Amino acid sequence: MFERILITGCCGFIGSNLIRTLASKMISYEIVVLDSEVTGKASSLDGVPHHFIRGDIRDYRTVEDAMSGVDAVIHLAADTRVMDSIKNPTYNFDVNVIGTVNVLEAMRKHGIKRLVNASTGGAIVGDALQAVHESMPANPASPYGASKAAAEAYCSAYSKSYEMDITSLRFSNVYGPRSAHKGSVIATFIKSILSDEQCHVYGDGSQTRDYIFVQDLCFGIFQALKSEKKGTFQLGSGKPTSVNQIIQILKGVTGRNETLEVAYSDFRVGEVLHNFADITKAKRDLGFQPQTSLTTGIRETWDYFQKNSKVLLSNKEYGVSSYAG
Ligand SMILES: NC(=O)c1ccc[n+]([C@@H]2O[C@H](COP(=O)([O-])OP(=O)(O)OC[C@H]3O[C@@H](n4cnc5c(N)ncnc54)[C@H](O)[C@@H]3O)[C@@H](O)[C@H]2O)c1
């Protein structure tokens, strides 16, 4: 397969899980990490062999230097928070669109053909009562969704104009260990429970998402990397789950059936109400097959947070923030 793989944004939630999945699946290869540490931290990769470059994908020269000797790229670095993108759309554009074009352009200069680009299903397609599939038109409700749609469009353009092998993977809502810095639903609720605070739900809790356990997702990224298939693929569980159902599972997993408190407030602007993925194409073309039930995945996530709560607290990575939904 590949000998030297660059992973941008590898210090984050998905990257720090992915590098461990790759270590368990591949024998002889080198990983180069390019990350500004704006949200992820280099310490999240402790114990896994890699070459670390601290740098920003908004800086073209940095990206080009990081590509030296590389034969494939997994591009994860991004400004990932939907609500933050509404507050600061130009920063989101700079990181997610200009940063992605920098990655593509540096690959072109170095003659690197293979890119796996992290994209999103929910934020690009927006509200959908039917399962979302790859050929649905983009209808983003936030600058984050728009930036990911633009990044996908540039990936398609570079793929066709310069004969590059580019795959964009549209992740659904990912949850799992190593997500303490995230503002996503499950991580936020677990942080609230461990801090003895109420779980805060925006809306009535009927909004649905497609939740995929991070290890299942990382397996899908590995399958995509080694596949010769190009184009766009949805990676999710294929099932809608409401926020209220998540609360019920958390009550059972944490043993707080009676004591877990939930506060409801208004829906927020830019928030998608219903979205889940049709994963038929990824199953057929990439052999993608999520294995982990929601209850098992949430239990594993809860165990990780509980075991690491002291360290996370002392690192100040543990604050309760509003979730991206
Ligand atoms: N987590 C999810 O539920 C989810 C869903 C859909 C798509 N995605 C996509 O997956 C990718 C990884 O997301 P994540 O959840 O691991 O997020 P994360 O915030 O944990 O990780 C992102 C990483 O990128 C780095 N980064 C951010 N801006 C950078 C910059 N300008 N230069 C260099 N590095 C920079 C951060 O330091 C961090 O380590 C992103 O592209 C995100 O849009 C995630």
Side-chain angles (χ1 to χ4, degrees):
M1 219 176 21
F2 302 105
E3 289 180 3
R4 192 171 160 92
I5 302 168
L6 171 68
I7 309 181
T8 70
C10 190
C11 298
F13 164 42
I14 294 170
S16 59
N17 283 283
L18 177 65
I19 198 169
R20 291 172 168 88
T21 301
L22 295 183
S24 71
K25 302 248 176 232
M26 293 165 69
I27 305 161
S28 169
Y29 68 103
E30 275 180 89
I31 297 284
V32 180
V33 171
L34 173 62
D35 198 302
S36 64
E37 293 190 277
V38 66
T39 56
K41 296 293 165 240
S43 58
S44 71
L45 310 180
D46 282 353
V48 192
H50 65 280
H51 172 65
F52 179 66
I53 300 167
R54 188 172 197 277
D56 196 313
I57 56 165
R58 291 173 296 169
D59 179 50
Y60 176 73
R61 179 62 54 202
T62 301
V63 180
E64 202 189 307
D65 289 349
M67 297 276 175
S68 180
V70 162
D71 51 12
V73 178
I74 302 173
H75 178 40
L76 301 175
D79 177 38
T80 65
R81 294 186 185 216
V82 173
M83 291 303 149
D84 288 0
S85 83
I86 293 173
K87 283 189 210 131
N88 194 348
T90 54
Y91 172 74
N92 185 266
F93 175 84
D94 286 349
V95 176
N96 294 0
V97 184
I98 295 180
T100 301
V101 173
N102 283 343
V103 167
L104 289 163
E105 190 55 15
M107 288 179 67
R108 185 169 80 89
K109 286 269 165 60
H110 279 272
I112 304 165
K113 295 289 181 196
R114 187 72 179 122
L115 171 67
V116 175
N117 170 53
S119 191
T120 172
I124 286 183
V125 176
D127 265 321
L129 285 169
Q130 304 294 320
V132 167
H133 57 78
E134 291 80 356
S135 40
M136 275 182 170
N139 188 23
S142 66
Y144 170 71
S147 73
K148 286 292 186 181
E152 268 193 18
Y154 275 103
C155 286
S156 169
Y158 269 70
S159 186
K160 289 175 183 136
S161 302
Y162 308 114
E163 294 184 345
M164 291 164 72
D165 302 327
I166 303 181
T167 303
S168 281
L169 299 177
R170 292 182 173 179
F171 308 159
S172 61
N173 282 52
V174 191
Y175 71 97
R178 305 180 192 283
S179 58
H181 61 287
K182 297 294 291 185
S184 47
V185 177
I186 293 172
T188 300
F189 285 168
I190 290 180
K191 286 184 274 190
S192 299
I193 295 167
L194 285 172
S195 311
D196 286 326
E197 291 177 13
Q198 294 178 324
C199 290
H200 192 149
V201 175
Y202 295 97
D204 62 4
S206 64
Q207 65 267 50
T208 54
R209 295 287 184 280
D210 180 320
Y211 295 93
I212 175 92
F213 188 55
V214 70
Q215 273 152 27
D216 288 337
L217 178 91
C218 290
F219 177 69
I221 299 172
F222 172 67
Q223 292 289 101
L225 178 70
K226 62 179 189 162
S227 165
E228 284 172 7
K229 301 277 180 185
K230 295 190 265 185
T232 307
F233 296 90
Q234 306 253 155
L235 297 187
S237 68
K239 295 173 198 145
T241 304
S242 72
V243 171
N244 285 334
Q245 284 173 290
I246 296 289
I247 300 262
Q248 283 311 316
I249 295 172
L250 275 169
K251 281 184 176 176
V253 163
T254 60
R256 298 183 194 207
N257 273 308
E258 309 302 325
T259 53
L260 196 150
E261 282 184 46
V262 185
Y264 292 89
S265 62
D266 289 345
F267 282 109
R268 296 176 303 176
V269 176
E271 192 154 340
V272 170
L273 294 185
H274 298 289
N275 193 290
F276 71 102
D278 177 345
I279 56 172
T280 310
K281 190 178 170 205
K283 278 183 171 173
R284 186 191 62 217
D285 292 354
L286 304 179
F288 174 63
Q289 187 59 65
Q291 305 280 342
T292 314
S293 74
L294 204 45
T295 304
T296 304
I298 289 181
R299 183 168 294 118
E300 217 170 293
T301 311
W302 169 250
D303 288 347
Y304 171 83
F305 273 75
Q306 264 199 320
K307 221 176 279 169
N308 293 284
S309 60
K310 270 195 190 141
V311 181
L312 297 172
L313 272 170
S314 67
N315 283 348
K316 298 197 184 356
E317 286 176 12
Y318 201 65
V320 177
S321 60
S322 61
Y323 61 83

